[in-house]
Amino acid sequence: MNKVLILGAGTAGTMMANHLRRELSPEECEITILDRDNQHLYQPGLLFLPFGKYRKEDIVKKRDKFIPNGVEFRLAEVDRIDAGNNAVILDGGETLRYDLLVIATGSRIVPSECEGLEGEGWHRNIFDFYTLEGSAALGQFLSTWKGGRLVVHIKEMPIKCPVAPLEFAFLADSFFKERGMRNRVDITYVTPLSGAFTKPVASEMLGHMLSDRQITVVPDFDVERVDAAEQKVISYDGREVPYDLLVPIPTHMGDLIIARSGLGDELDFVPTDPETLQSKAHPNIFVIGDATNIQASKAGSVAHFESEVLTRNVLHQLNGEALEPIFDGHSNCFIESGGGKGMLIDFNSETEPLPGQFPIPGVGPLPLLRESRLNHWGKLAFRWVYWHLLLKGRPLPFITTTLSLKGKIIPDLKENQT
Amino acid sequence: MNKELSGTTVDVDAEGYLTDPGQWTKEVAVELAKEEGIELNDRHWKVIDFIRKDGAENGTAPNVRRITKIGGVPTKELYELFPGGPAKKAAKVSGYGKPHGCL
Ligand SMILES: Cc1cc2nc3c(=O)[nH]c(=O)nc-3n(C[C@H](O)[C@H](O)[C@H](O)COP(=O)(O)OP(=O)(O)OC[C@H]3O[C@@H](n4cnc5c(N)ncnc54)[C@H](O)[C@@H]3O)c2cc1C
């Protein structure tokens, strides 16, 4: 009998446990999934927590509730993967053998990668919103803040849900307006990229969103250090951005076990074939979700599309068949723009976000790359979809695994914007 | 759109980045660097050679962290070599597109 072991029971691992149990009978394959704790966090909710929109109870549930019958769920800390011997060694020394391993250990923020970030200012006037602790503490801080200079700062790519920092800036703008204190807050968005939007169509269609909201963008900013005493962020080329409240998006890295097992790149992400999701180093190791080094966004929706491809390829691998190189980097995401509105984007590694209707061409009901109330409701509904469809590996109505160009419009851009 | 760089016709985007890294040559690099006001010396070439090699292996240009950690060029030096934005300027001169987000 085959043994499949899944490391990590977050978004991607949980989906794989559900898919694989449906496809493989307990007689033909033993499936085990392992995580270090039993608290499944709905991470997109972390964006709303600081603004008092969700409570902790809304976004944390027990992991094992989402693991199907017939899959063994184990709580354990992994010490390392011994790929040469097809085994995973747990803290404490127990060895689990596998025929096929799925790595779904996600990514984590590593504030210590930025000098000065974790010093005296950390969780005093510097808060991340990528962890439950950071996001909750930021909420506490904002509830009594009198205003000043808010700086949202991205250290380096890749980060989870690359639009989340922008959404945070939009939601902050709308939060301060609702509280009647927008005139007492400066919002600055500091990015290592060439702007808040980097793709031609999005830049042209959405560029005004920041100026409309009086959000200042500081582009091409490679941070050298944070000076917590002087309250400023300093770049390698000597530019300084002062803050009263700093919301950093720190460096993201893969889990420490990846480094300990010698399986990672310079950020401890696992080199993975972008089309089959097989690890480049070991044919019986597959990688899904934030743990891969592929260019696709680190997002739950990407993990969902990947899970459909990976399920087929795991079956092929177990049957000794050729893998299907079909993953296209498909990603689909709602973007909160504040004031009860939102946007929706649908794209892959080849095709940038385009305007149009989604998911049904000509009908929608959701407009792409444009603000609407319906997209905001879509984002809120995503929480339900996440717990009830996504984690269970159910298909999403009307949404295809790979990108569809139907319903999308390729606009004529102005001369200087092609 | 395409343009002529040191006798070679290359496809570029609106900001002058090559859209096909396969069209890159050393002579093209010299011209692309001039557009950025950079005269290439041995230290630049060390960075460019690394980007070309790593890019060919991975299908995309390495980020600053990779250039510093694996290519062995300190960030400070990258700034001296490609003032005002080493990530995008080094990528451009090496025949790759600028680093981008998803939007
Ligand atoms: C603020 C924010 C907003 C977001 N918004 C969106 C959004 O709107 N839409 C969207 O699609 N995505 C969004 N995301 C991204 C999405 O949440 C992640 O991409 C997704 O959860 C990744 O799934 P994963 O399974 O790869 O990783 P995770 O869900 O993080 O799971 C990894 C699991 O592995 C376990 N693990 C790791 N190492 C070990 C070990 N050594 N031993 C045992 N267990 C281990 C961890 O405990 C964890 O449970 C957002 C993320 C954040 C932070």
Side-chain angles (χ1 to χ4, degrees), chain A residues 35-56:
Chain A
D35 207 289
R36 55 163 65 104
D37 63 45
N38 197 11
Q39 301 266 307
H40 190 128
L41 171 64
Y42 172 65
Q43 298 177 40
L46 295 175
L47 176 66
F48 296 95
L49 202 60
F51 306 108
K53 305 262 190 223
Y54 285 151
R55 294 157 306 153
K56 273 191 196 172

Side-chain angles (χ1 to χ4, degrees), chain A residues 263-315:
Chain A
L263 292 174
D265 67 5
E266 70 284 356
L267 285 170
D268 302 341
F269 293 123
V270 186
T272 304
D273 183 284
E275 292 174 329
T276 63
L277 303 175
Q278 187 177 42
S279 86
K280 288 192 175 164
H282 302 277
N284 65 337
I285 299 184
F286 289 78
V287 197
I288 182 169
D290 293 355
T292 77
N293 77 330
I294 69 175
Q295 293 295 307
S297 299
K298 298 200 181 297
S301 66
V302 174
H304 162 79
F305 298 124
E306 286 175 342
S307 76
E308 295 179 338
V309 173
L310 184 53
T311 301
R312 295 164 70 138
N313 279 338
V314 166
L315 298 178

Side-chain angles (χ1 to χ4, degrees), chain A residues 337-350:
Chain A
S337 53
K341 290 190 180 172
M343 295 188 295
L344 176 64
I345 55 175
D346 190 49
F347 61 99
N348 70 11
S349 6
E350 297 280 301

